[in-house]
């Protein structure tokens, strides 16, 4: 099977590249959110050059973008007995 260059149709700017190897086609997707919050939707079409007449592959990518984390430092909060409460750390996962 021979493939053409991927063509992205996305709601935000993305970079899409592809390479063919012994194990098949690899498609690489790069995205940096421009907005603080919202949704990103992307359809990537990869033309099938050989065999002729085959429809393009379609890859769908979507993401929910949360607001940005404040840059101001967070000081530890103290309870009624004036003991410092350990800072809470937050991690973000993109699924």
């Amino acid at each position: 099977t021979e493939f053409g260059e991927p063509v992205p149709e996305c709601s935000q700017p993305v970079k899409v590249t592809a390479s063919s190897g012994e194990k098949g086609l690899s498609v690489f997707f790069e995205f940096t959110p421009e907005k603080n919050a919202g949704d990103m939707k992307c359809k990537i079409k990869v033309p099938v050059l050989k065999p002729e007449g085959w429809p393009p592959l379609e890859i769908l990518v979507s993401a929910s973008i949360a607001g940005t984390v404040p840059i101001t430092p967070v000081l530890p909060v103290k309870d009624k007995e004036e003991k410092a409460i350990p800072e809470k750390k937050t991690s973000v996962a993109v699924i």
Side-chain angles (χ1 to χ4, degrees), residues 74 76 85-91:
V74 179
I85 298 174
E87 292 180 36
K88 181 178 179 184
K89 295 183 180 182
T90 304
S91 62

Side-chain angles (χ1 to χ4, degrees), residues 26-48:
S26 295
V27 177
F28 304 94
F29 177 86
E30 294 180 49
F31 163 70
T32 302
E34 287 189 332
K35 301 177 183 178
N36 287 341
D39 292 331
M40 186 280 301
K41 296 183 187 288
C42 190
K43 182 191 304 185
I44 303 167
K45 291 185 178 181
V46 182
V48 178

